[in-house]
Amino acid sequence: MITLGKLTYQQLKEKFRIKSPWDLIIIFVLNILITIPVFIIAHQNLITLDWAHHIDRILLFILILIVFQLILRAMRRITLISVILYFIFLIKGTLFGDYGFQTVFEDYRSMIYTMNDDPYPQDIIISKLLPFPNKSKILSAVEYQNPRVRDFAIMAINKHFKHIKGYNDDWTLIQSFAIFKEINSRWNYVSDPKGHDYIAKATESLKYLSGDCDDHSVLMAACIKSIGGTTRLIHTKGHIYPELYIGTKKDLERINYAIKKILFPVESKGKKIHYHIDERGKIWLNLDYTAKYPGGPFMHEEILGALTLD
């Protein structure tokens, strides 16, 4: 029989067994947390039957709830052990200032809010599940709610393009370009320690505006997110860089003119605007630290992974 110290496997299993009805309550709560995002995806992708009082959607929610309840109960032992281990992880994170209960609550609430407004909510789930180097560290480092990050963003906005007229619908983009100009005109590339991948928090990079590509990407994303912009980080071979969400091709035409004729006429003279179009037709503009203007040349164009920061 398998033993761990003086305890047998059977004793460990009994030690961590959750008695009824708490096991069923935990499974039901977990089911609700899973069912809500799955229901949003189904609601957005399935045809609405327009039944009175939204009965079709109520039945859809109940059906999803029942299916997951049956699955989780069938896997009760694995489910409960996983929940216990996750709670231990969150308790540790809460006590030592890492990823804790408050953070997971805010991330879940943000995800549900974003999914509810997105016509393709499944993309948000996929983007969170896709492999991305140092994903958890990067998400933790993007301190967009830190007052120092927002103060820096506001300073840049008041310093650049403050008096531009006629772009009311694109004002968040214009302000994002102001942040880009401030960061990229002052950024000093500094490598990580040899053999180590060091991820600096946004507030840390603010002090000297120095670091490598992932530090630059974290700071750019944090500042733009702090003023309501949407960015994503692109992972290529040995490199990470930020992109800014622009919108449709029609939006790009308008922004292209603004960059080349009004905002960055000298830096972009005679040069192309570089961007990517994702699988939904959304346009993302290159903001790499090597670019002298938004949409400057790619350092590495191949996309190995993307991390959207809604």
Side-chain angles (χ1 to χ4, degrees):
M1 183 175 289
I2 299 172
T3 62
L4 183 63
K6 295 182 178 180
L7 292 175
T8 65
Y9 170 75
Q10 191 66 31
Q11 288 172 328
L12 279 173
K13 188 173 72 172
E14 185 65 26
K15 194 177 184 67
F16 286 100
R17 188 171 70 87
I18 299 174
K19 295 181 179 180
S20 186
W22 292 108
D23 56 346
L24 298 178
I25 292 172
I26 291 172
I27 286 174
F28 183 74
V29 171
L30 180 61
N31 185 9
I32 292 291
L33 294 175
I34 296 172
T35 296
I36 291 172
V38 173
F39 168 74
I40 293 173
I41 293 172
H43 169 65
Q44 296 282 39
N45 286 275
L46 296 178
I47 297 173
T48 303
L49 299 179
D50 292 325
W51 290 358
H53 307 295
H54 305 290
I55 295 296
D56 58 323
R57 269 12 193 184
I58 293 173
L59 291 175
L60 176 62
F61 183 87
I62 293 172
L63 175 63
I64 295 171
L65 190 72
I66 291 172
V67 169
F68 278 114
Q69 186 72 11
L70 293 174
I71 292 172
L72 292 173
R73 288 195 64 175
M75 302 172 61
R76 180 184 305 187
R77 184 176 300 171
I78 295 173
T79 301
L80 293 175
I81 291 174
S82 300
V83 169
I84 291 170
L85 292 175
Y86 190 56
F87 262 73
I88 293 172
F89 170 78
L90 291 179
I91 290 170
K92 175 181 174 293
T94 301
L95 293 175
F96 295 98
D98 296 321
Y99 195 87
F101 287 102
Q102 181 65 28
T103 312
V104 76
F105 169 74
E106 291 177 354
D107 284 351
Y108 184 83
R109 182 179 62 178
S110 175
M111 181 187 73
I112 295 300
Y113 177 81
T114 306
M115 288 179 68
N116 201 41
D117 289 338
D118 197 298
Y120 307 105
Q122 62 273 18
D123 290 356
I124 296 168
I125 298 291
I126 292 171
S127 69
K128 291 183 180 297
L129 295 177
L130 285 176
F132 196 92
N134 297 308
K135 183 175 179 178
S136 60
K137 289 183 179 179
I138 287 175
L139 289 173
S140 176
V142 180
E143 304 169 297
Y144 67 95
Q145 291 182 312
N146 190 292
R148 289 169 56 196
V149 171
R150 183 167 167 83
D151 285 349
F152 178 86
I154 291 173
M155 178 276 293
I157 289 167
N158 281 300
K159 184 176 177 181
H160 306 290
F161 315 137
K162 185 177 180 181
H163 302 294
I164 297 296
K165 305 294 183 183
Y167 283 88
N168 294 337
D169 293 338
D170 302 308
W171 198 238
T172 299
L173 292 178
I174 302 298
Q175 292 177 336
S176 298
F177 294 154
I179 292 169
F180 166 89
K181 185 177 181 70
E182 184 66 19
I183 293 176
N184 276 30
S185 63
R186 298 170 58 189
W187 189 258
N188 181 38
Y189 187 91
V190 178
S191 299
D192 284 342
K194 190 173 182 179
H196 297 276
D197 201 0
Y198 183 80
I199 308 293
K201 290 184 178 292
T203 49
E204 185 180 347
S205 296
L206 279 178
K207 189 171 183 180
Y208 296 110
L209 287 177
S210 300
D212 67 355
C213 59
D214 47 51
D215 302 328
H216 170 271
S217 298
V218 163
L219 179 59
M220 186 74 74
C223 290
I224 291 177
K225 188 172 173 61
S226 76
I227 57 115
T230 300
T231 59
R232 69 176 186 175
L233 304 187
I234 299 298
H235 163 51
T236 70
K237 189 174 181 180
H239 184 55
I240 292 176
Y241 64 92
E243 289 187 328
L244 175 65
Y245 174 62
I246 297 299
T248 64
K249 282 195 173 183
K250 186 176 180 181
D251 298 319
L252 179 63
E253 291 174 6
R254 188 172 61 255
I255 294 304
N256 183 28
Y257 180 86
I259 291 171
K260 302 195 76 173
K261 299 299 181 181
I262 302 172
L263 306 175
F264 297 86
V266 176
E267 298 89 340
S268 65
K269 186 176 181 180
K271 299 174 182 176
K272 291 173 58 179
I273 297 294
H274 295 79
Y275 58 90
H276 284 120
I277 303 176
D278 67 17
E279 67 280 2
R280 301 299 181 185
K282 299 176 180 178
I283 293 176
W284 301 83
L285 200 64
N286 177 33
L287 298 183
D288 206 342
Y289 78 92
T290 57
K292 302 301 181 185
Y293 60 94
F298 292 112
M299 184 175 176
H300 296 289
E301 189 169 359
E302 180 187 15
I303 297 179
L304 299 179
L307 179 59
T308 303
L309 303 164
D310 290 313

